Structures are given as C-alpha cells and as structure tokens.
Amino acid sequence: MTSDEKTILSAELALGLLQGAEREEVETAVMVDPEMREAHRRWTEHFAGLVLREPGPDPVPGPQVLAGIEATLFGAAEEAEAQGQSWWDWLRAPENRGLVLTVGAAKVALLAWILYLFL
C-alpha cells in the first residue's frame, strides 16, 4: 500500500466513511502500521479542529463584493448610459425584445384577468 493510499484511507476512517469489512481492515492497519496510525491521528485532529474551534465574528464582505454584484445585475444598463444611450434606447435594443414582449404579454394577461373578475 502506498503512502498516499494510507493517507486517504486514514482520512476516510477519521470521517467515518468506511463500513463493514473495509472499516475493520483499515482499523487493524491503523493499529499495526505506525505510518497509518500517524496519518489517522493527524486527520482526526484536523477534523476535530474544524468542528471544535471557537466561533468568531461573521466575516464582513469588502466593498468590492457589493460593487461586483451591482455590476453583474445592472452592468448592461450602466454600460448603455456610459455610451450615451438612454434607458429607452437600451430597452428598445434588439437583444431586449424578448424581455419587452414577455413583460408586455404579462401586463395584457393581468389586465384581462382583472377585467374578467370585475365585469
């Protein structure tokens, strides 16, 4: 068994991923093989450290995160304004026709439904 295989099996044992005969074989190997015993000890301490560490303050995202979100959501409209196009020009652009038609159809359907309810 290679050193990498021993490390992987030790990690799987520490995580509780092994079952049945395979688990028994690895547990026996951990008791017999000093290299596997050391790998299992390191993995067990590593995983315990992840679970048992003291809770700290929640991380606060930097201002670049909000800027990235706004650029993703509103970037096309800002690009249009930067190029001297108005909101109306951006809305009439050929690549936005599907969106405009969908919103228009939804408005017509809503108006028809309202008229059906009250007339």
Side-chain angles (χ1 to χ4, degrees):
M1 187 180 311
T2 66
S3 179
D4 289 341
E5 290 173 339
K6 291 178 181 181
T7 303
I8 291 169
L9 287 173
S10 298
E12 290 176 346
L13 181 64
L15 285 171
L17 300 176
L18 302 177
Q19 296 177 355
E22 186 179 25
R23 179 183 178 97
E24 291 174 11
E25 289 175 18
V26 174
E27 287 175 342
T28 303
V30 166
M31 287 186 250
V32 174
D33 186 358
E35 186 180 356
M36 280 194 76
R37 185 174 27 251
E38 179 60 24
H40 182 260
R41 183 195 59 77
R42 279 189 321 229
W43 280 115
T44 304
E45 288 177 0
H46 173 73
F47 294 134
L50 293 175
V51 174
L52 300 175
R53 71 172 173 217
E54 292 292 321
D58 290 336
V60 178
Q64 71 277 9
V65 175
L66 180 59
I69 292 171
E70 288 176 342
T72 301
L73 293 176
F74 307 112
E78 291 175 0
E79 288 175 15
E81 290 175 10
Q83 295 174 358
Q85 295 177 336
S86 69
W87 172 256
W88 182 249
D89 291 335
W90 180 81
L91 193 61
R92 291 187 345 207
E95 63 269 12
N96 298 326
R97 286 189 183 146
L99 175 65
V100 172
L101 289 174
T102 303
V103 170
K107 286 182 177 184
V108 168
L110 180 62
L111 181 60
W113 181 65
I114 291 172
L115 289 174
Y116 172 77
L117 287 176
F118 293 107
L119 293 180

